[in-house]
């Protein structure tokens, strides 16, 4: 990610990219720290699980509202104000941690509030990007953002958070708050056009319904959302038992699982670099087909793997495919959705697409218990590969986006 590449996308994108890169490191710090704080307050699996659920629940219960907000207000302003709210929440939490160990209920509330803020910010960010980047460059821009996300959430943030927690439990939250403060400052200087506001006098419910209807009425994007939901279910079906495959079935030491995850992060970074150039080389259908094939093949091969090295290589391949898929799907959606509806359609799309994650996690546990840990991985891979039949229809979205 060179400076020159960022500059060619424009100074506004450079600021957005810098803000995203800084804040996602803070997110990675928090990913490591909140479970550690939960264990310090109540060393039970239930406490850790409650905090994790609270952090992910907003994407199911608050995302549509966040999308509507992104279409009602100036998106740049909404983003920096959301970051400012996160600064206040994290600073208050850090102060509490410095004084005493907060109860699990407080951590659950903090995780939920930060998750709600994340839905608002992410929906506004996705909707705003086409305002500052030319349509032909969206794949490159989204690749840069995906790469920053992988690096911050997997490579940098969690190890940094764990190290800071070992020194002082409140320090990681201070670092997270500082990251959002810097991100808010960077967003302040972005000069994106104001969003087109929703019509005055309409209820929030009516605004949300308009976005859902538009997505449902667009056959191609509706199909893309269901493809995402199927892929998310299949991948979660497999990854929910991956640790058992590595540690129990292959009898590898625990640190080997960490190396497998690191290999996946490396594959994701490679995918973020490759997603933009792929647009110049092959049509959309081929790019989507490549991503789906990489994910499905990686899961099927993993289900038969007898070495951790092969598992790590396949995890890298699958992560490469996931990032390439994400970049193509987001970019085509940004080109197709009307500007005034981007926030609401994006939130409805994510709700459909990500709805497969909790179902996949539950099925992974059931199948893994009943038929062994290799079975859900194999089933997940076969489901992904079976979805290749949809690629010719999804490829037609490129014609719609012109």
């Amino acid at each position: 990610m060179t400076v020159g590449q960022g500059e060619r996308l424009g100074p506004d994108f450079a600021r957005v990219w810098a803000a995203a890169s800084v804040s996602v490191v803070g997110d990675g710090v928090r990913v490591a720290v909140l479970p550690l704080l939960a264990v310090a307050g109540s060393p039970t699996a239930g406490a850790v699980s409650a905090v994790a659920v609270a952090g992910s629940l907003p994407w199911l219960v608050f995302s549509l509202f966040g999308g509507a907000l992104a279409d009602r207000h100036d998106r740049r302003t909404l983003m920096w104000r959301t970051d400012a709210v996160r600064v206040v929440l994290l600073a208050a939490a850090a102060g509490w941690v410095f004084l005493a160990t907060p109860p699990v209920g407080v951590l659950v509330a903090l995780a939920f509030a930060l998750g709600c803020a994340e839905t608002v910010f992410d929906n506004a960010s996705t909707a705003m990007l086409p305002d500052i980047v030319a349509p032909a460059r969206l794949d490159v821009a989204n690749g840069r953002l995906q790469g920053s996300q992988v690096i911050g959430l997997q490579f940098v943030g969690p190890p940094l958070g764990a190290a800071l927690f070992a020194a002082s439990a409140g320090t990681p939250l201070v670092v997270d708050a500082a990251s959002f403060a810097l991100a808010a400052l960077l967003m302040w200087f972005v000069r994106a056009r104001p969003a087109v506001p929703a019509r005055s006098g309409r209820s929030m419910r009516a605004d949300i319904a308009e976005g859902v209807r538009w997505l449902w009425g667009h056959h191609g994007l509706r199909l893309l959302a269901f493809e995402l939901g199927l892929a998310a279910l299949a991948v979660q079906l497999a990854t929910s038992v991956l640790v058992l495959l590595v540690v129990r079935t292959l009898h590898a030491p625990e640190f080997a699982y960490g190396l497998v995850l690191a290999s996946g992060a490396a594959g994701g970074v490679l995918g973020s670099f490759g997603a933009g150039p792929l647009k110049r080389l092959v049509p959309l259908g081929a790019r989507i087909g490549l991503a789906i094939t990489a994910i499905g093949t990686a899961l099927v091969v993993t289900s038969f793997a007898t070495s951790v090295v092969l598992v790590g290589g396949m995890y890298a391949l699958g992560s490469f495919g996931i990032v390439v898929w994400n970049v193509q799907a987001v970019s085509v959606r940004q080109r197709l959705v009307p500007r005034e509806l981007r926030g609401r359609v994006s939130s409805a799309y994510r709700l459909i697409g990500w709805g497969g994650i909790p179902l996949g996690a539950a099925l992974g546990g059931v199948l893994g218990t009943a038929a062994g840990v290799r079975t859900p991985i194999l089933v997940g891979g076969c489901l992904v590969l079976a979805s290749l039949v949809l690629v010719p229809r999804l490829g037609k979205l490129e014609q719609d986006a012109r």
Side-chain angles (χ1 to χ4, degrees):
M1 300 179 188
T2 65
V3 175
Q5 288 170 322
E7 289 175 348
R8 286 200 298 271
L9 290 165
D12 273 343
F13 175 75
R15 296 183 185 102
V16 171
W17 186 19
S21 299
V22 169
S23 61
V24 81
V25 170
D27 288 337
V29 168
R30 189 174 68 255
V31 164
V33 170
L34 286 185
L36 292 172
L37 286 172
V39 169
S42 177
T44 63
V48 176
S49 176
V51 173
V53 170
S56 59
L57 192 60
W59 282 106
L60 295 178
V61 302
F62 195 79
S63 180
L64 292 175
F65 183 80
L69 287 177
D71 287 341
R72 283 191 168 208
H73 302 280
D74 171 41
R75 289 156 184 161
R76 179 194 67 87
T77 302
L78 190 64
M79 289 166 69
W80 75 254
R81 287 181 176 174
T82 300
D83 274 344
V85 169
R86 291 195 272 196
V87 171
V88 173
L89 288 172
L90 286 162
W96 191 323
V97 172
F98 280 126
L99 294 174
T101 301
V104 173
V106 170
L107 298 177
V108 167
L110 176 64
F112 183 79
L114 291 171
C116 290
E118 183 181 10
T119 66
V120 175
F121 185 94
D122 284 5
N123 280 316
S125 175
T126 301
M128 189 189 74
L129 192 64
D131 295 340
I132 60 175
V133 174
R137 300 286 285 165
L138 283 172
D139 296 81
V140 176
N142 282 309
R144 301 288 182 269
L145 292 171
Q146 284 280 321
S148 296
Q149 186 173 42
V150 171
I151 292 171
L153 282 178
Q154 299 185 44
F155 274 134
V156 179
L160 177 61
L164 291 173
F165 184 86
S168 172
T171 301
L173 297 179
V174 173
V175 171
D176 198 9
S179 74
F180 284 123
L182 179 55
L185 181 62
L186 288 165
M187 288 304 307
W188 175 274
F189 290 103
V190 172
R191 292 183 175 85
R193 292 179 297 152
V196 178
R199 290 190 295 274
S200 59
R202 293 182 52 171
S203 68
M204 186 68 73
R205 177 181 294 181
D207 281 350
I208 291 172
E210 183 181 18
V212 172
R213 283 196 303 270
W214 193 96
L215 175 63
W216 193 257
H218 194 290
H219 176 73
L221 286 183
R222 186 179 72 218
L223 188 64
L224 193 70
F226 280 110
E227 169 66 28
L228 173 62
L230 176 61
L233 182 152
V235 170
Q236 192 63 37
L237 187 69
T239 56
S240 63
V241 297
L242 184 63
V243 64
L244 296 175
L245 175 69
V246 173
V247 176
R248 293 189 179 178
T249 303
L250 300 181
H251 306 291
E254 283 78 3
F255 76 84
Y257 180 63
L259 295 178
V260 169
L261 297 182
S263 70
V269 172
L270 289 175
S272 72
F273 277 107
L278 275 175
K279 182 179 183 295
R280 298 192 296 269
L281 298 173
V282 294
L284 177 64
R287 301 195 300 271
I288 292 177
L290 172 65
I292 293 174
T293 300
I295 298 167
T297 300
L299 293 179
V300 170
V301 173
T302 298
S303 70
F304 294 102
T306 57
S307 75
V308 175
V309 173
L310 182 57
V311 172
M314 289 300 100
Y315 200 62
L317 176 64
S319 297
F320 173 88
I322 288 171
V323 170
V324 170
W325 159 269
N326 285 340
V327 171
Q328 310 311 320
V330 171
S331 299
V332 75
R333 193 172 76 244
Q334 289 168 332
R335 295 187 187 103
L336 284 171
V337 180
R339 189 168 182 274
E340 67 276 10
L341 284 167
R342 284 184 201 141
R344 285 168 284 172
V345 173
S346 177
S347 64
Y349 173 91
R350 287 176 171 178
L351 187 63
I352 295 172
W354 293 358
I357 293 177
L359 179 58
L363 288 176
V366 172
L367 274 177
T369 301
V373 297
R374 294 184 184 273
T375 301
I377 301 174
L378 177 61
V379 171
C382 290
L383 283 175
V384 173
L385 291 176
S387 71
L388 283 169
V389 299
L390 301 177
V391 168
R393 297 164 70 183
L394 293 175
K396 296 177 181 179
L397 284 168
E398 192 163 48
Q399 300 172 0
D400 298 337
R402 289 171 181 168

